[in-house]
Amino acid sequence: MAKEELTSIEWRSDQWMFQYGGLRPDNVLEYFSQSPFWDSSSNNAVLKMQTQFNDLQHASYDLKNMVGIEFAVTHQEPPSLFIITKFRRTSPTRAIPLAVYYIADGNAYEAPSLYSIISTRMLSSIKRVEEAFDIARRHSEFHPSVGYTWKETAEQKKARKEALKDIQ
């Protein structure tokens, strides 16, 4: 099953932020759980469902002892910036980052992958090099006896000859 491309989505819930008084470190994952980026089969979601109707909902749970998908706030500058990382936890000491999301001023985004950033930059660079070669090709001409030479306007020829006179 192919992963759905979510890097072009911006998500925001003004109603949620109004109801809960804005984003804070203690509620940012709850806010994020309303977004399309949330995985409802994550360990966070499972714990939330298992504890929402009992006295354990305020107890501290250690997600590190669970195996599977997990979301964690990995950086925060409240109230304007929160970075959330999606991990695949394979053991209490090993978690593999799968995706990074950020919430900037209440807007949630998926960060692009390093591969997509580098490939876009390389494609852009290659395009610029191609344009430079096109310009160079338009300003050159080929003759079998002389080879490649630069096309010169009458003005450029005059300036070149004057420069050669000054040198001699």
Side-chain angles (χ1 to χ4, degrees):
M1 183 166 100
K3 181 185 173 208
E4 183 182 348
E5 180 62 37
L6 298 175
T7 56
S8 61
I9 294 177
E10 173 186 359
W11 179 84
R12 179 181 183 90
S13 177
D14 289 323
Q15 180 181 358
W16 190 97
M17 285 192 289
F18 179 74
Q19 182 178 355
Y20 292 95
L23 292 177
R24 300 180 308 276
D26 64 318
N27 71 4
V28 70
L29 277 177
E30 178 64 30
Y31 176 73
F32 187 74
S33 73
Q34 308 301 309
S35 76
F37 309 114
W38 185 254
D39 185 346
S40 59
S41 65
S42 68
N43 294 341
N44 306 71
V46 169
L47 277 178
K48 180 181 172 187
M49 291 302 291
Q50 289 177 351
T51 61
Q52 70 180 348
F53 298 114
N54 59 34
D55 293 335
L56 299 174
Q57 62 185 326
H58 299 295
S60 174
Y61 288 97
D62 193 5
L63 287 170
K64 293 181 185 200
N65 292 327
M66 298 178 75
V67 173
I69 301 298
E70 157 186 336
F71 290 94
V73 178
T74 51
H75 181 78
Q76 56 187 329
E77 294 177 20
S80 60
L81 178 67
F82 297 92
I83 297 177
I84 299 169
T85 305
K86 179 180 183 179
F87 295 99
R88 178 181 312 282
R89 183 162 296 283
T90 57
S91 74
T93 59
R94 182 162 162 79
I96 302 162
L98 300 176
V100 177
Y101 306 91
Y102 58 99
I103 299 174
D105 294 324
N107 298 316
Y109 308 90
E110 179 178 2
S113 67
L114 182 60
Y115 170 81
S116 67
I117 292 170
I118 291 174
S119 65
T120 300
R121 295 288 173 101
M122 287 181 67
L123 185 60
S124 177
S125 299
I126 290 169
K127 179 70 175 155
R128 299 291 182 240
V129 169
E130 184 180 313
E131 289 170 357
F133 278 119
D134 286 343
I135 291 169
R137 188 171 12 110
R138 280 186 260 139
H139 289 84
S140 66
E141 50 190 26
F142 179 78
H143 190 275
S145 63
V146 180
Y148 282 98
T149 58
W150 293 108
K151 294 180 186 175
E152 290 181 309
T153 63
E155 217 174 84
Q156 290 170 330
K157 277 185 185 180
K158 183 179 177 184
R160 184 174 50 85
K161 285 182 181 179
E162 286 178 15
L164 287 173
K165 284 182 190 176
D166 291 341
I167 293 174
Q168 295 173 352

